[in-house]
Amino acid sequence: MNRKTLVLPAAAGLLVPLLAACGGAEEDGAIVVGTTDQFIATADAPAPFDPAFAYDTGAWNILRQTVQTLMHVPHGGGEPVPEAAQSCGFSDKASESYRCKLRSGLTFADGTPITAEDVKYSVDRVLKIKSDNGTAALLSNVDTVETKGTDEVIFHLKTPDATFPYKLSTPVAGILSKDKYAADKLRDGFDVDGSGPYTMKVEREGEKATRFVFTKNPAYKGDITLRNDKVVLRPYADASTMGQALESDDIDMMARSLSQQQVRNLTEKPKEGIEMIEVPGLEIRYLGFNTKAPAVEEKAVRQAMAAVVDRGALVNSVYGPTAEPLYSLIPSSITGHATPFFDEYGEPDRARAAKLLKDAGVETPVKVTLNYTTDHYGAETAQEFEALKKQLDATELFDTTVRGAEWSTFRTAQKRGDYAVYGLGWFPDYPDPDNYIAPFLDSDNFLNTPYVNKVVRDQLIPRSRRQADRTAASPVFNQIQKIVAEDVPVLPLWQGKQYVAARTELNGVENALNTSSDLLLWELGRGTA
């Protein structure tokens, strides 16, 4: 987008001085949560919280508090259940027609009634805008949206899709008002309007949001039960600063993301008044490739990197007990997991890599730059990429440079194709193997990758979605994963664990972060659970 950088006046949206102070008591009784997620509106990404654009965990964690969806996944996991809907289900055996009936009396936070037309408008809007962030891909299988009366909506799908209820539980399918969100363009800035469990006010400094106040929405009607009236979310520059705020009782909980050193310290030397909890996690990290970039266009280069990367050494030296090696896009606790990269390449093998490059006529050392984001995944990312550089350079087959950039710059450049090799993480939109495959290999994918495998895109992904029994889809996912290991458009590295640390007087902490790293602020309360 060719726009001037979005700079919001320093006074715009500021909260009253009482709310600007630190500490639980000084926050007017609100529960205060820290995060290392950064929220910035730039010229290239001026609408970070528009559901038609937002596609990162931090932004979705803002939207989940404020924008209601027809379905949602309970904090304990499992299949989606109705949220704004009273009921939802497939109305045909082929899983191509999905019908929902709205709860009665639904309104937006400003009191405007919600109808089936608002649901249709919101989904049609995402597909019409089709932002370059890959968000619309989640709803790309929608052919048409039909309404019946004011409270019934029917989604007609292009092909069968047993995962569609999960997609309706993501913020991309959030219900919006046509009065607040234009049909054909994104809503710039940080303001969000919806019918979710909270309303939100934002403090900002220039192009950065610095504080969010979530207040219980008295008009909310849905499946969620709130255990508090107000929560403040406060971004911190790094995990260390956030940890100091927890120790000094300025915040009640820190979620995304604790450093591995903090996890070690709080495990081995617990601090009085602070409790650390491990919660199930499904995060993965990987290297992505621009397969048209000269440095890695030759498949043998990518295969050679896959043959020499030592995941075990990488995890042990940088992440310790907070991660484990990953040899597939699909993590170990998800149906369909396999180990295709280990099956294909085994333990790190320089001789194998050298032969791959020689047979392909590739001159060595191959010069590559590894690009990573400095402020999105935690302090260890820089160490991780230095460790990867050391591993690759030690083979003398590669001459590696490492380059870091802030997320707002990094993500835009990655989508544009500026990077030959880049590091990204993935937190699933929903806990299904499809969501570890389609965002990387389907049409209009999250990576905006030039790599296309028509067998995967046009045959295998659609075939996997026909299986209502997701276990029955495992053989198809195994086929896909073997193709990925052969072509190496992405290189899986590790999967992570999740930790939350909180003051002991806070309860509900174990439910406040689910396996997809969704922050469920309504689960938090004070005193005895």
Side-chain angles (χ1 to χ4, degrees), residues 78-255:
E79 296 183 358
V81 297
E83 213 289 70
Q86 175 182 305
S87 62
C88 282
F90 285 104
S91 55
D92 66 331
K93 292 183 179 180
S95 299
E96 288 184 310
S97 182
Y98 197 75
R99 186 183 301 255
C100 291
K101 187 177 179 63
L102 296 178
R103 293 178 186 268
S104 62
L106 283 177
T107 69
F108 291 107
D110 65 4
T112 304
I114 295 175
T115 69
E117 282 296 330
D118 294 305
V119 178
K120 172 178 168 58
Y121 176 83
S122 302
V123 172
D124 287 347
R125 177 179 180 270
V126 170
L127 297 173
K128 182 175 184 178
I129 291 175
K130 197 178 180 180
S131 81
D132 65 355
N133 213 24
T135 320
L138 279 172
L139 299 177
S140 62
N141 197 29
V142 174
D143 187 14
T144 58
V145 184
E146 176 187 359
T147 62
K148 286 194 174 182
T150 59
D151 64 352
E152 193 168 1
V153 58
I154 305 165
F155 300 92
H156 299 286
L157 307 182
K158 299 173 185 175
T159 58
D161 186 0
T163 70
F164 190 67
Y166 284 104
K167 294 170 182 176
L168 285 184
S169 70
T170 65
V172 67
I175 305 170
L176 307 176
S177 167
K178 62 176 68 70
D179 294 333
K180 303 290 178 65
Y181 293 83
D184 57 356
K185 65 178 182 179
L186 296 172
R187 180 179 180 178
D188 292 355
F190 299 113
D191 293 330
V192 178
D193 289 278
S195 58
Y198 296 98
T199 58
M200 183 187 80
K201 290 185 178 180
V202 188
E203 275 190 17
R204 60 205 87 183
E205 293 178 1
E207 63 184 18
K208 180 179 290 189
T210 57
R211 192 162 160 278
F212 302 86
V213 177
F214 298 100
T215 303
K216 183 176 181 178
N217 176 11
Y220 171 72
K221 290 187 178 181
D223 189 58
I224 293 168
T225 300
L226 280 71
R227 302 185 63 241
N228 59 67
D229 293 326
K230 184 181 291 186
V231 181
V232 172
L233 184 68
R234 190 181 296 164
Y236 286 89
D238 52 58
S240 176
T241 307
M242 180 171 64
Q244 292 171 10
L246 183 67
E247 289 186 33
S248 62
D249 206 12
D250 284 343
I251 62 176
D252 299 297
M253 183 180 99
M254 58 178 183

Side-chain angles (χ1 to χ4, degrees), residues 436-495:
Y436 289 93
I437 297 297
F440 307 102
L441 304 173
D442 207 353
S443 301
D444 302 320
N445 60 73
F446 165 75
L447 295 179
N448 198 26
T449 176
Y451 172 81
V452 175
N453 186 296
K454 292 183 179 179
V455 172
V456 172
R457 184 191 66 187
D458 301 336
Q459 298 177 33
L460 297 180
I461 289 177
R463 189 185 306 168
S464 74
R465 290 172 175 168
R466 295 190 187 104
Q467 299 289 347
D469 178 358
R470 303 308 288 153
T471 303
S474 292
V476 180
F477 286 117
N478 285 339
Q479 284 182 261
I480 295 172
Q481 292 177 86
K482 287 178 181 178
I483 292 170
V484 172
E486 166 65 24
D487 290 352
V488 200
V490 292
L491 179 58
L493 296 174
W494 55 268
Q495 68 180 82

Side-chain angles (χ1 to χ4, degrees), residues 391-461:
Q391 287 186 13
L392 293 173
D393 288 351
T395 68
E396 298 183 342
L397 301 172
F398 293 93
D399 179 6
T400 313
T401 301
V402 172
R403 184 175 298 142
E406 291 184 353
W407 176 252
S408 56
T409 300
F410 172 89
R411 175 64 172 137
T412 301
Q414 179 270 314
K415 289 186 295 183
R416 199 165 49 220
D418 293 357
Y419 303 146
V421 188
Y422 50 86
L424 279 171
W426 184 253
F427 301 85
D429 307 323
Y430 47 90
D432 185 275
D434 176 83
N435 197 237
Y436 289 93
I437 297 297
F440 307 102
L441 304 173
D442 207 353
S443 301
D444 302 320
N445 60 73
F446 165 75
L447 295 179
N448 198 26
T449 176
Y451 172 81
V452 175
N453 186 296
K454 292 183 179 179
V455 172
V456 172
R457 184 191 66 187
D458 301 336
Q459 298 177 33
L460 297 180
I461 289 177

Side-chain angles (χ1 to χ4, degrees), residues 269-281:
K269 299 177 182 179
K271 294 184 179 292
E272 184 177 356
I274 294 176
E275 181 180 20
M276 189 184 70
I277 298 173
E278 179 182 344
V279 294

